[in-house]
Amino acid sequence: MRDYPAPAAVNRVEAVPRRIRVVFGGQTIVDTTNAKYVWELPIYPAYYLPRGDFAEGVLVDEGKSHPSHRGTVQSFGVRVGERTAAGAARVLIEAAGPQLAGLVRLDWGAMDAWFEEDEQVFVHPRDPYTRVDALRSTRHVRVELDGIVLADSTSPVLVFETGLPTRYYLNRTDVDFTHLTPSQTVTACPYKGTTGGYWTATTGDRTHPDVAWTYTFPSRDLLPIAGLIAFYNERVDLLVDGELLERPKTHFS
């Protein structure tokens, strides 16, 4: 079940209206206002960056190329001083369409930092078609697992995120931590920030890893969820105003 459909089709290409900068080895290696969004997956795009906007000498030809459905792709390393990231750049030397000619796809994780304008972006580019809203509510939310009540609240904050099921964030005073144990799991979201904690549930002789999480310091647009606890709809029985919700198949916090 999806509360919102994922709107972008794979292989869609759109202009990025934001200034994009990438840092590697302590240096800004590309600074551009002419990037493209390319949807390699339906859930979020990748940045494709003009080769001409890279700092001189940063891209190192590795002498390898292969065909792809977007054109001929040549492999490049990224080098700044003594630091090198082998195969971290793919350059479309012969593109299937004019929108992609001469563009470079960088390995996100191999870079030190990415910026949209002057704000750092984490995990992957933010999808321009994704909207995330945090709304206070008085709906009655009850969380159960194996017949045990883990939380009961009439003051949740509902988070509506494109392509994901509604998440219900609950006050800590509405959560029964008797059956919850902190775990070491940490995840990050480009829209909400980095999680500040996860909990594993124990019900009798059964263990359910990482069923709940919190964002201690969320992004400014999601400040209403700061410190609140959410449970995976996929892993618990969630009743909203007395109605048991169907468990969705997605697994994103």
Side-chain angles (χ1 to χ4, degrees), residues 1 165 233-234 236-239 243-249:
M1 179 188 73
N233 311 34
E234 300 88 334
V236 299
D237 294 323
L238 189 63
L239 293 90
E243 180 181 351
L244 179 63
L245 302 187
E246 180 183 351
R247 290 191 183 188
K249 295 181 180 179

Side-chain angles (χ1 to χ4, degrees), residues 13-130:
V13 178
E14 296 284 355
V16 177
R18 311 170 187 199
R19 180 187 184 189
I20 304 299
R21 283 176 286 179
V22 183
V23 176
F24 178 80
Q27 176 180 323
T28 298
I29 63 169
V30 59
D31 185 344
T32 184
T33 57
N34 294 299
K36 300 286 188 184
Y37 291 119
V38 178
W39 277 264
E40 299 172 341
L41 302 169
I43 54 176
Y44 59 83
Y47 292 133
Y48 276 61
L49 311 166
R51 186 173 178 179
D53 289 340
F54 278 75
E56 187 175 354
V58 163
L59 297 177
V60 181
D61 189 352
E62 296 179 334
K64 302 174 185 177
S65 64
H66 65 272
S68 76
H69 66 280
R70 293 188 182 89
T72 301
V73 177
Q74 191 162 344
S75 178
F76 282 72
V78 176
R79 182 172 63 198
V80 172
E82 298 299 317
R83 187 171 170 200
T84 301
R90 302 199 309 267
V91 180
L92 279 164
I93 56 174
E94 294 179 8
Q99 293 186 84
L100 298 179
L103 297 185
V104 181
R105 165 75 152 85
L106 288 174
D107 179 347
W108 184 282
M111 302 297 105
D112 295 340
W114 295 73
F115 291 86
E116 290 183 351
E117 298 298 336
D118 288 338
E119 294 197 7
Q120 190 170 356
V121 185
F122 301 91
V123 187
H124 60 70
R126 296 180 179 128
D127 191 326
Y129 295 106
T130 290

Side-chain angles (χ1 to χ4, degrees), residues 46 57 125 207 249 251:
T207 299
K249 295 181 180 179
H251 290 284

